[in-house]
Amino acid sequence: AFAVLAFRNANYEAYQIVLDRMENDQHKAILVNNQRVQVQNQFVSQKWILQQSSVHLFISHCGMGSVVEGLYFEHPILCLPLCKDQFVDAMAIDHAGVGQS
């Protein structure tokens, strides 16, 4: 798959609601194509995914654990902070030049 989206519980339900309400048929077709986008509603080992050589970008909420794993496996990080310390972590990633926020 080109992208793996890993959701749990309420986040997966919210994704399904957004997908159902999506009006752009081209965008929706991309998201429902299992060869392009793989959606997981279960635990997915982030470390296992980041170990793969085929991973070229890590899109993260920028919690400290995720940031450390992304840096350890040397993947550029696209930061999408949601709350609290994630915004500071995202600014640090951007400032260090190892990703963008």
Side-chain angles (χ1 to χ4, degrees):
F2 177 77
V4 176
L5 304 177
F7 298 110
R8 303 267 318 255
N9 306 323
N11 291 330
Y12 179 76
E13 293 167 11
Y15 171 77
Q16 290 299 318
I17 291 169
V18 169
L19 191 61
D20 290 341
R21 294 180 183 173
M22 189 174 286
E23 295 180 5
N24 187 310
D25 291 335
Q26 290 176 320
H27 293 162
K28 190 171 186 175
I30 292 169
L31 292 172
V32 298
N33 181 336
N34 290 337
Q35 292 184 355
R36 294 185 79 171
V37 178
Q38 189 178 83
V39 179
Q40 296 292 324
N41 182 24
Q42 60 187 3
F43 175 78
V44 177
S45 173
Q46 183 171 282
K47 288 180 186 177
W48 180 83
I49 290 172
L50 292 173
Q51 289 175 2
Q52 308 307 307
S53 61
S54 60
V55 173
H56 299 290
L57 177 67
F58 177 38
I59 302 173
S60 174
H61 68 294
C62 290
M64 186 52 69
S66 296
V67 167
V68 169
E69 289 176 4
L71 293 173
Y72 179 81
F73 291 107
E74 300 180 349
H75 293 296
I77 302 171
L78 177 58
C79 304
L80 301 173
L82 303 171
C83 63
K84 302 180 185 177
D85 66 321
Q86 297 169 359
F87 292 99
V88 175
D89 296 345
M91 288 187 291
I93 291 294
D94 198 51
H95 181 72
V98 293
Q100 291 186 333
S101 177

